[in-house]
Amino acid sequence: MADDDAIDKVEDVLPEVPERGSATELMDHGAAGDPLGPMRHSAAHVLAEAVLDLFPGTKLGIGPVIADGFYYDFLLPRPLTPDDLPAIEARMRESIAADHPFELSEETPEAARAALVERDQPFKVEIVDDLAAAAERDGTPMPPTTFYRQGPFIDLCRGPHVASTGQIGPFKLLGTAGAYWRGDEKRPMLQRVYGTAWATQEELDAYLWRREEAKKRDHRRLGVALDLFSFHDVSPGSAFWHPRGQAIWRTLETAMRELQLRRGYQEISTPILVSEKLWRQSGHWDHYAENMFIVESEKQLFSLKPMNCPESTFIYKSKKRSYRELPLRFNEYGRLHRNERSGALSGLTRVRQFIQDDAHIFVRPDQLAAEIGALLGEVNEAYSWVGLVPRFAFATKPDKAIGDPALWEQAERLIKEALDSTGANYVTKPKDGTFYAPKIDIYIDDALGREWQMATIQVDLVMLPERFELTYTDEEGQEQRPMAIHRAIYGSLERFIGILIEHFAGAFPLWLAPIQAVIIPIADRHIEAGEELAGLLRTRGLRVEVDGSSNRMQYKIRAAQEQKVPYMVVLGDREIEARTASPRTRAGDQQPPEAWESFADRLAAESRSRSVT
């Protein structure tokens, strides 16, 4: 994708939604746990009523509730344009003003199908047919088919709804996007209209402000504007890191390596291309193969590794291990590949190639609680570098899990005991663990109040220890199974950087800024002194540029501010003669002059502190 295309793609930021495939999912339009769900789902029905009224012959898809809003899919006689949305909104307001009650009715499946055929709504007919087929396959009677009517409009639906259209709060249509019917690229492309609805105008206004602010902060736009990275169709879903973006990457990596060195980690590196035999042994081939890039060579199947977990066991087993060696902490910045669908790719936050700050820690049972406590401390420290406060969730065994249930029970009990012993606040997420381990997930809220799932700590008694037959010799000379902890703190560095770009709106704190200072010579004769000052700053480990272009000084200052550089230093005859710097911050504050050496020491100390202020 060319850079200009990257900007065009994000002009209208719309919510990401999961594809819905089964007939039961398509009938389930509500939003469990969303107090505004019934009202938003009712707004989706009013949207469908308006579109059908304005565009006769429209075929209706589905209209579920999503985070902060709703959508409805349509097969329309013509493509919608932005100018159509105000007309649709006006028609929706008429329905809301009419205060039509939402009326539930039940039909036999046969009568429901006949009515939908008569209305020429083939997508709805397909849903009824699939429900009937599923009931027949399961040997269960198909329940009555439910419809909801408001005014002249009736739709196949399970609900729930508010009592009448007049109870729909302030709303706004947000935009349109293409969506394949049932998420299948072989099916018709429908037009999806997104909207949002809130209880009060103040809440709607606040949401719309956050949405506009999110557009300004979109990391795909800022990544281009700040010359951090780009994406190109020669390698979809893989970032091309430019020098400034790579500087952010390496700075984060260096900080984590320093933390790991203090904690006694040992860095390893394992191959990217791995035989299917490994993935079958680990269980990933059965549970994850569709997300792998498969490669065939000499009649053997290999995969680009989607995770680092199993490979670390070969290093663990390279020699006999004693209880004295544990905990054994292996960290790896492994390059990973996951075969994400092209429609799901989204800048740095959803990619096909990424690097993860993985670690696999092998412990004795009596060491687990202390190790989890220390890992929570690592998370708190690393997130403090960027001003984020982590929250914790304990995710338990999912329905599809491998291994002995007794081992799962043991792992879950030990995690809970460890969490409780640290005093950490956490919530429990039943059945949300991985297929091989219960886990602790870490969440943060960014500057706009959006929640992101970040790091993870998984306690594995099944996949690595059992399937790869890991052992250590205890004090009695007997072989025992270690426990394996999978942990990532940043997670995917691509995703972490994308989130940070949006959190800081591109204005990184000094320690993380790709360019920490720009020297601006007033005239060509001042360039040599500018290079001298830049060299002095670089000896302190700072990232500095000299703007020796022929542009006017005010233009250079404005350019540095637009690039969100923390400090700008203008050099003229007076400053060079006195060997002083009068730094200007990106916020426009002019600081008092100070000696070059003092300025260099102050910036170096500020950078080392990893302060976010």
Side-chain angles (χ1 to χ4, degrees):
M1 183 189 298
D3 290 353
D4 289 342
D5 291 338
I7 294 177
D8 293 339
K9 295 286 185 185
V10 298
E11 284 298 323
D12 194 16
V13 179
L14 296 171
E16 290 185 18
V17 296
E19 296 296 350
R20 306 163 73 92
S22 74
T24 301
E25 290 175 316
L26 298 180
M27 279 286 287
D28 184 11
H29 294 166
D34 180 0
L36 296 178
M39 185 259 284
R40 288 169 171 163
H41 181 44
S42 301
H45 275 233
V46 172
L47 166 61
E49 175 192 354
V51 170
L52 198 59
D53 183 58
L54 293 170
F55 301 92
T58 293
K59 312 305 178 193
L60 302 176
I62 59 170
V65 175
I66 56 174
D68 295 332
F70 58 91
Y71 70 78
Y72 212 111
D73 289 344
F74 306 100
L75 184 61
L76 287 152
R78 67 164 174 83
L80 291 174
T81 70
D83 293 338
D84 290 317
L85 297 186
I88 297 172
E89 287 180 343
R91 181 64 187 83
M92 291 175 67
R93 290 191 181 93
E94 291 176 14
S95 179
I96 292 170
D99 198 21
H100 296 301
F102 282 95
E103 300 172 323
L104 171 66
S105 63
E106 293 184 349
E107 301 283 353
T108 65
E110 296 78 13
R113 189 183 194 283
L116 293 168
V117 169
E118 182 179 354
R119 296 187 195 119
D120 192 20
Q121 292 296 337
F123 300 123
K124 302 291 187 180
V125 172
E126 182 179 324
I127 293 173
V128 173
D129 287 346
D130 283 0
L131 287 169
E136 182 178 355
R137 183 177 60 249
D138 297 339
T140 58
M142 182 173 171
T145 305
T146 56
F147 291 84
Y148 275 87
R149 176 188 292 275
Q150 85 265 8
F153 180 76
I154 187 168
D155 199 3
L156 177 72
C157 181
R158 284 182 175 173
H161 290 281
V162 292
S164 66
T165 59
Q167 294 183 12
I168 297 173
F171 74 93
K172 179 71 177 175
L173 297 185
L174 303 175
T176 63
Y180 290 109
W181 172 237
R182 303 180 85 161
D184 185 347
E185 57 267 26
K186 297 178 182 177
R187 306 299 301 277
M189 171 68 80
L190 308 184
Q191 294 185 69
R192 179 169 293 175
V193 180
Y194 286 96
T196 189
W198 296 82
T200 66
Q201 186 64 43
E202 290 76 14
E203 289 173 302
L204 174 62
D205 290 342
Y207 171 76
L208 294 176
W209 175 85
R210 291 194 303 271
R211 188 169 176 273
E212 287 303 311
E213 187 65 19
K215 288 184 184 180
K216 297 175 187 176
R217 292 170 177 256
D218 191 294
H219 74 277
R220 294 165 293 185
R221 177 184 293 278
L222 288 173
V224 173
L226 301 179
D227 195 23
L228 303 180
F229 59 83
S230 57
F231 285 88
H232 303 275
D233 57 12
V234 295
S235 185
S238 303
F240 287 69
W241 288 96
H242 298 200
R244 293 187 177 188
Q246 190 70 1
I248 298 172
W249 179 294
R250 290 302 180 200
T251 302
L252 286 169
E253 189 180 55
T254 297
M256 184 58 67
R257 279 197 165 101
E258 290 176 2
L259 184 154
Q260 290 165 339
L261 185 63
R262 283 188 274 114
R263 283 270 292 128
Y265 284 82
Q266 301 176 63
E267 186 163 340
I268 63 173
S269 179
T270 59
I272 291 176
L273 193 65
V274 185
S275 168
E276 72 166 304
K277 296 176 184 177
L278 176 77
W279 306 117
R280 289 192 182 279
Q281 185 176 354
S282 69
H284 286 98
W285 196 265
D286 294 330
H287 291 78
Y288 209 78
E290 65 182 16
N291 297 106
M292 297 183 184
F293 285 101
I294 308 299
V295 178
E296 183 175 354
S297 176
E298 297 180 341
K299 298 182 180 181
Q300 294 186 65
L301 290 182
F302 297 83
S303 166
L304 296 176
K305 65 178 179 179
M307 62 276 298
N308 297 306
C309 317
E311 295 90 333
S312 65
T313 63
F314 289 84
I315 298 176
Y316 182 94
K317 294 179 69 173
S318 63
K319 63 179 183 177
K320 277 187 165 292
R321 301 291 178 178
S322 163
Y323 72 97
R324 298 178 186 275
E325 295 179 72
L326 304 184
L328 188 61
R329 305 181 184 98
F330 290 147
N331 71 281
E332 177 173 11
Y333 293 90
R335 190 174 299 274
L336 307 178
H337 294 80
R338 295 185 183 174
N339 192 10
E340 300 282 2
R341 295 176 59 175
S342 59
L345 300 176
S346 181
L348 295 177
T349 56
R350 195 71 174 266
V351 292
R352 287 177 173 167
Q353 175 186 275
F354 58 98
I355 291 179
Q356 193 159 277
D357 68 320
D358 257 340
H360 295 91
I361 304 170
F362 303 94
V363 300
R364 305 189 309 261
D366 63 292
Q367 296 171 324
L368 181 67
E371 194 66 23
I372 288 179
L375 288 171
L376 296 180
E378 290 180 23
V379 172
N380 284 318
E381 178 181 345
Y383 282 50
S384 72
W385 301 335
V386 288
L388 297 173
V389 179
R391 300 190 309 277
F392 304 102
F394 172 31
T396 63
K397 180 183 178 183
D399 290 331
K400 294 182 178 180
I402 63 174
D404 184 347
L407 291 176
W408 277 88
E409 291 177 11
Q410 181 186 9
E412 290 181 357
R413 176 178 55 79
L414 290 170
I415 291 177
K416 189 175 187 310
E417 289 175 357
L419 280 167
D420 292 340
S421 69
T422 65
N425 291 322
Y426 66 93
V427 298
T428 301
K429 296 175 65 180
K431 300 184 178 183
D432 204 43
T434 69
F435 72 88
Y436 58 84
K439 60 179 179 170
I440 301 169
D441 285 330
I442 290 86
Y443 295 83
I444 59 96
D445 292 331
D446 70 7
L448 296 183
R450 298 173 298 182
E451 182 180 78
W452 297 90
Q453 182 176 337
M454 307 295 285
T456 186
I457 301 168
Q458 303 168 358
V459 176
D460 174 13
L461 308 189
V462 178
M463 183 187 48
L464 298 188
E466 291 288 330
R467 292 202 165 198
F468 290 89
E469 299 180 338
L470 305 185
T471 62
Y472 68 90
T473 303
D474 67 13
E475 299 96 321
E476 307 298 326
Q478 301 298 311
E479 287 194 343
Q480 304 291 345
R481 287 265 186 265
M483 296 178 173
I485 303 174
H486 309 240
R487 83 100 180 98
I489 294 181
Y490 296 146
S492 155
L493 270 85
E494 281 81 355
R495 184 171 179 272
F496 192 72
I497 292 172
I499 291 169
L500 290 184
I501 291 170
E502 298 192 6
H503 177 66
F504 291 115
F508 291 99
L510 177 74
W511 78 275
L512 198 50
I515 301 299
Q516 297 171 303
V518 170
I519 312 302
I520 302 175
I522 294 177
D524 287 352
R525 66 179 183 275
H526 305 130
I527 292 176
E528 184 177 351
E531 293 289 357
E532 183 183 352
L533 175 56
L536 182 64
L537 293 168
R538 288 174 185 137
T539 63
R540 306 301 201 274
L542 296 163
R543 298 180 291 276
V544 188
E545 287 185 353
V546 177
D547 187 347
S549 69
S550 59
N551 294 316
R552 296 172 62 87
M553 182 183 70
Q554 290 303 320
Y555 179 90
K556 294 179 181 181
I557 293 173
R558 186 167 63 253
Q561 286 177 319
E562 289 174 352
Q563 289 295 300
K564 305 183 186 293
V565 177
Y567 288 101
M568 291 143 276
V569 179
V570 176
L571 282 187
D573 292 335
R574 183 175 54 189
E575 291 82 11
I576 293 171
E577 182 177 351
R579 294 183 70 80
T580 60
S582 299
R584 178 190 181 100
T585 70
R586 62 185 161 208
D589 298 326
Q590 189 69 53
Q591 298 181 341
E594 56 187 314
W596 286 3
E597 291 281 351
S598 174
F599 175 58
D601 290 340
R602 178 169 67 85
L603 258 63
E606 183 180 343
S607 182
R608 285 194 302 272
S609 73
R610 300 196 182 109
S611 170
V612 294
T613 58

